[in-house]
Amino acid sequence: MRLDTLALAGMLGLAVPGIVEVVAQRPAIAQARPLGSFRDSQWDVSLFMDRGQYYYRGQARGSRDYLQLRDVEFAGTNDRRVYRWYNANYTYQVVWRPTDPNFIRLQVFENNVELLNRLLERY
């Protein structure tokens, strides 16, 4: 075999994994609900599954106190999903669009009066 043929074969051998990755990209997996941690300058919210329960954990930034809730109520549409957790007279609501999975809207209501409305970004 000639040297230039060996060099070409070696370069193609190195390039093939990259070409295959571009051509045969993995299909996107649709996420059924927002999972992970989201924040803005004032709030941190974590949404996670544990033993079949969907949890909300909210915390004011800079505070050690947090609120963790389960027993979610689902509402909304396929395009705009709404998740609600209740704690006494308070409702904690997360609105999420699967087409924009890196953002959630956090709303907090007391007796149906909105106290908080923030856009949080995944981090």
Side-chain angles (χ1 to χ4, degrees), residues 16-114:
V16 168
I19 294 169
V20 169
E21 182 68 27
V22 170
V23 173
Q25 291 182 357
R26 294 176 208 107
I29 297 171
Q31 193 173 331
R33 60 182 56 97
L35 295 170
S37 298
F38 300 83
R39 73 166 41 154
D40 70 1
S41 62
Q42 296 179 347
W43 299 98
D44 283 330
V45 168
S46 294
L47 304 169
F48 60 95
M49 295 291 298
D50 186 28
R51 298 182 186 142
Q53 289 283 332
Y54 187 47
Y55 284 86
Y56 165 96
R57 182 179 184 194
Q59 183 173 22
R61 298 203 55 198
S63 170
R64 292 184 172 190
D65 297 330
Y66 65 89
L67 176 67
Q68 186 165 298
L69 302 169
R70 63 181 185 152
D71 298 326
V72 66
E73 176 184 281
F74 299 100
T77 65
N78 286 336
D79 296 329
R80 185 178 173 274
R81 299 178 184 172
V82 180
Y83 306 88
R84 291 185 190 109
W85 294 264
Y86 299 96
N87 184 29
N89 295 331
Y90 293 91
T91 302
Y92 297 81
Q93 178 171 289
V94 168
V95 179
W96 179 66
R97 293 178 185 212
T99 57
D100 200 5
N102 293 320
F103 294 90
I104 61 170
R105 177 151 311 272
L106 171 63
Q107 295 170 288
V108 179
F109 301 89
E110 180 181 17
N111 295 322
N112 297 321
V113 175
E114 187 175 63

